[in-house]
Amino acid sequence: DTAVSQTPKYLVTQMGNDKSIKCEQNLGHDTMYWYKQDSKKFLKIMFSYNNKELIINETVPNRFSPKSPDKAHLNLHINSLELGDSAVYFCASSQDSGPGELFFGEGSRLTVL
Amino acid sequence: DAKTTQPPSMDCAEGRAANLPCNHSTISGNEYVYWYRQIHSQGPQYIIHGLKNNETNEMASLIITEDRKSSTLILPHATLRDTAVYYCIVRADYNFNKFYFGSGTKLNVKP
């Protein structure tokens, strides 16, 4: 079983559309994240949720809205998509105790035309 | 959290040890050093972490200098599959959510 799974893996859409990316982790972790990796390969944290509560919001436009229905899921909804939103979005999770290393999903490549 | 500095790229011959340096001269006493790698657009993968002592696991060894201002990740016998971008990150133990990735080192393992 995949520990952190994201859907869809690929998403091609037009500017102005609204889209969602889903993430689920079966590791029993308390914290989940969304990272964005742009064309220059910089990996930037966007959001972090701990037990369904928003912990980190790294100056992301409010067109991006994370939603955590339970601590195993963290979905990312994006309104009014822009060309600059094209990137690979990675979901990750970590346990609060112990070393707390991140476990990443395989990524969702979003292309906005 | 402290900043890290890594060389943008390194080459290594297959079968030889790969030694990847990281400078974190502003590290404070409660900050851990973590290493991750990203193989060709896959999700980043945890490798190892440490605080003061040298650490070893099945993937790699981490050597931290006594003053903790720098560290080296060692892949003892690099294979072609180790070609990846390697990220060195420092993170305070109380900032358990905050992993900030820099630009990393692209390791090219060559036959």
Side-chain angles (χ1 to χ4, degrees), chain A residues 14-53:
Chain A
Q14 300 287 330
M15 271 175 43
N17 284 350
D18 303 338
K19 290 294 177 186
S20 293
I21 307 171
K22 296 185 176 182
C23 179
E24 176 182 4
Q25 54 96 3
N26 62 7
L27 298 166
H29 287 167
D30 301 310
T31 303
M32 296 185 71
Y33 311 75
W34 279 108
Y35 280 81
K36 177 181 179 181
Q37 188 166 44
D38 59 23
S39 57
K40 295 182 178 177
K41 302 298 185 183
F42 290 117
L43 195 61
K44 294 181 182 177
I45 190 168
M46 299 173 68
F47 300 104
S48 167
Y49 266 75
N50 180 263
N51 284 312
K52 303 196 305 174
E53 182 181 343

Side-chain angles (χ1 to χ4, degrees), chain B residues 6 71 74:
Chain B
Q6 299 177 253
S71 60
I74 301 172

Side-chain angles (χ1 to χ4, degrees), chain B residues 4-110:
Chain B
T4 62
T5 305
Q6 299 177 253
S9 66
M10 292 182 64
D11 291 338
C12 177
E14 189 178 18
R16 304 297 293 267
N19 297 285
L20 294 99
C22 179
N23 183 289
H24 30 80
S25 58
T26 60
I27 195 169
S28 56
N30 59 359
E31 288 184 314
Y32 287 75
V33 180
Y34 286 77
W35 283 84
Y36 285 77
R37 72 180 182 184
Q38 187 174 25
I39 298 172
H40 186 57
S41 298
Q42 295 179 17
Q45 176 189 24
Y46 165 81
I47 302 173
I48 199 167
H49 77 285
L51 182 63
K52 296 179 183 177
N53 300 322
N54 298 337
E55 303 287 344
T56 295
N57 63 20
E58 65 277 5
M59 289 182 69
S61 295
L62 173 60
I63 308 298
I64 303 174
T65 58
E66 194 168 340
D67 64 6
R68 301 186 68 241
K69 293 186 177 184
S70 66
S71 60
T72 301
L73 179 75
I74 301 172
L75 307 179
H77 306 287
T79 70
L80 298 178
R81 286 176 293 182
D82 292 322
T83 293
V85 178
Y86 287 77
Y87 297 98
C88 169
I89 302 163
V90 293
R91 189 201 70 167
D93 57 0
Y94 54 83
N95 279 338
F96 59 86
N97 300 98
K98 294 190 176 181
F99 279 98
Y100 292 99
F101 287 76
S103 51
T105 296
K106 176 66 191 298
L107 175 67
N108 299 298
V109 181
K110 302 188 174 182

